[in-house]
Amino acid sequence: MMRKIHPDVIRLGVVSFLTDVSSEAIFSVFSIFFTTIIGASAALLGVVEGLADFSASSLDYVSGYLSDKTGRRKPIAVAGYGFSTLAKCFLVFANSLSLVALFRVIERLGKSMRGPARDAWIADVTTDGNRGYSFGAHKAMDKAGAVLGPLLAYLLFAAYGETADAFRILFICAALVAGVAVLTLLAVRERPGTPHERDNIFKSWRLLSPEFRRYLIPASLFALAYFSFGFLLLKAYQTGFSVADVILLYALFNVSFVVFSIPFGSLGDAYGRWKIISAGYLLYAVMSVGFVYATEPWQIIGLFIIFGAFYAIDEAQTKAFIADIERERRASAVGLYNFVTGIVYVPASVIAGVLWAWQSTYAFVFAAGVALLALCVFLALRRKIVVPALA
């Protein structure tokens, strides 16, 4: 059933769509480009991806704090999208291991800048009755770009082959599309939030709701199980999928994300988002165990679909849940959540890289165990993480 969505959700969805066409076209082949064309090891990939994950959340708390303090959403979002676009232009000329690794880390800084302000913008124009649906719709548009981006990459490699020149052409096209996304956002009229001018960045976390601070406990624990998706793509490649087929698998993952985003959002609105988040933790554990035993192409395909369903929960419904339990300082809450989990992503990816070098199945066993532990902690704290009533 279609529900009314605020126009700003659609406009921001278009910006995210274009950005993901650009970013995901690159990411769908980055782990292969980094290890085969540039010549890096899987262990180094783990370090770089861990640093990239941290970079993607390193400025979240600062940008969220600034957005809440000033009540401004658009300037910070524009700065974040613009920074990522500049980094993609830099990738076009990167020709060494260190420069390519530097791109991966720097580009994610843009994501860190824009995320809290944009998500708070969406939360500001939604209600309790349609917040999950709206976040799901926005993320569906976002990941629709992540479907198109890898498909365009696939067509490019089908035409030019798996060569260094083909990678370079892909990077140029991605930078151009990212530029169009920034221009689109500049045309959107800002809707300022409520400023909190007296907030101090070093003390504002104390002003966040107790429910949100409790939620950070299982969320941080789960982040330790959350190693880079690049390892899943590498697993498929090592199982026998070609570069072109890996790109299609990545597109399939994003199709799964798009398909599940809105239904999960509606279910969260109707039956409680904590149930959906619990299901997400369980799905991740099931997927991790599946990769331990997967040897056939159809099994890998099925696991990528499951991962898409999990990611639809993690990307959209987690943010909607935070907006539910933190009414006053939503950008700061989203920023702090991203920052804390981002810190944990660094050891998570490093651990995954080390375990992978030892035996790839160990990385998946570790992830499954930690995910189940996080689920138990979340359920144990559920009664203390209640959604406050509207004032």
Side-chain angles (χ1 to χ4, degrees):
M1 178 179 178
M2 294 295 294
R3 300 183 187 179
K4 185 176 180 180
I5 298 179
H6 194 281
D8 280 5
V9 176
I10 303 299
R11 293 173 185 130
L12 292 173
V14 171
V15 174
S16 294
F17 168 79
L18 292 171
T19 301
D20 256 29
V21 168
S22 170
S23 298
E24 302 299 343
I26 294 174
F27 184 66
S28 66
V29 299
F30 182 81
S31 61
I32 298 170
F33 176 75
F34 193 58
T35 56
T36 61
I37 301 297
I38 299 299
S41 65
L44 182 57
L45 175 65
V47 173
V48 170
E49 289 300 317
L51 290 173
D53 284 335
F54 172 71
S55 178
S57 60
S58 60
L59 298 179
D60 278 68
Y61 183 46
V62 175
S63 64
Y65 162 77
L66 290 175
S67 181
D68 282 336
K69 182 179 178 66
T70 63
R72 303 293 300 278
R73 311 301 192 196
K74 180 178 175 178
I76 297 173
V78 169
Y81 282 107
F83 198 79
S84 291
T85 299
L86 289 176
K88 290 166 186 172
C89 294
F90 171 75
L91 177 62
V92 174
F93 303 101
N95 57 6
S96 68
L97 188 152
S98 58
L99 291 177
V100 173
L102 188 62
F103 148 77
R104 182 74 177 122
V105 175
I106 292 177
E107 191 274 337
R108 294 287 81 188
L109 282 174
K111 181 178 185 298
S112 184
M113 292 180 194
R114 66 183 181 250
R118 183 205 57 215
D119 291 337
W121 190 343
I122 294 172
D124 289 345
V125 298
T126 58
T127 66
D128 287 356
N130 73 351
R131 184 166 297 123
Y133 183 86
S134 296
F135 269 96
H138 172 265
K139 289 300 179 181
M141 295 180 69
D142 184 330
K143 286 302 175 182
V147 174
L148 181 58
L151 289 178
L152 293 176
Y154 172 81
L155 293 175
L156 180 64
F157 281 100
Y160 291 95
E162 299 173 8
T163 64
D165 287 341
F167 282 101
R168 199 68 59 196
I169 294 171
L170 175 64
F171 299 156
I172 292 172
C173 294
L176 292 173
V177 174
V180 175
V182 175
L183 293 176
T184 301
L185 180 57
L186 286 171
V188 180
R189 183 171 66 89
E190 183 177 15
R191 298 177 185 275
T194 302
H196 297 81
E197 297 177 354
R198 296 185 179 181
D199 282 5
N200 181 301
I201 190 171
F202 300 106
K203 298 180 180 179
S204 63
W205 69 273
R206 298 177 184 175
L207 302 176
L208 297 172
S209 70
E211 291 80 11
F212 168 74
R213 283 180 283 167
R214 291 188 189 103
Y215 173 60
L216 278 181
I217 298 172
S220 300
L221 180 59
F222 178 74
L224 191 61
Y226 201 90
F227 55 76
S228 170
F229 187 42
F231 284 106
L232 303 187
L233 298 175
L234 193 57
K235 171 71 173 180
Y237 184 67
Q238 293 178 346
T239 303
F241 288 84
S242 67
V243 173
D245 290 336
V246 169
I247 294 172
L248 289 180
L249 274 176
Y250 191 58
L252 176 64
F253 152 75
N254 286 305
V255 168
S256 175
F257 184 109
V258 171
V259 169
F260 286 108
S261 284
I262 294 178
F264 281 155
S266 296
L267 288 173
D269 289 336
Y271 299 106
R273 261 176 280 284
W274 73 269
K275 295 179 181 178
I276 302 299
I277 292 173
S278 297
Y281 287 0
L282 184 59
L283 277 176
Y284 190 83
V286 169
M287 179 212 69
S288 298
V289 172
F291 270 108
V292 172
Y293 298 101
T295 56
E296 299 295 327
W298 68 268
Q299 295 170 334
I300 298 293
I301 291 171
L303 291 171
F304 269 74
I305 294 173
I306 292 175
F307 189 65
F310 155 76
Y311 210 62
I313 296 172
D314 189 65
E315 278 287 288
Q317 299 314 305
T318 293
K319 304 299 172 54
F321 184 63
I322 291 173
D324 288 342
I325 59 180
E326 177 51 59
R327 302 286 188 182
E328 291 295 322
R329 295 169 175 80
R330 285 167 167 161
S332 297
V334 171
L336 183 59
Y337 166 83
N338 289 339
F339 177 71
V340 171
T341 55
I343 290 175
V344 181
Y345 287 157
V346 177
S349 284
V350 171
I351 290 171
V354 172
L355 291 176
W356 188 283
W358 188 12
Q359 174 60 258
S360 62
T361 56
Y362 295 163
F364 294 115
V365 170
F366 175 81
V370 174
L372 290 175
L373 178 60
L375 173 60
C376 293
V377 173
F378 181 61
L379 293 176
L381 293 176
R382 181 179 65 84
R383 295 186 183 277
K384 295 183 179 181
I385 308 175
V386 295
V387 177
L390 283 172

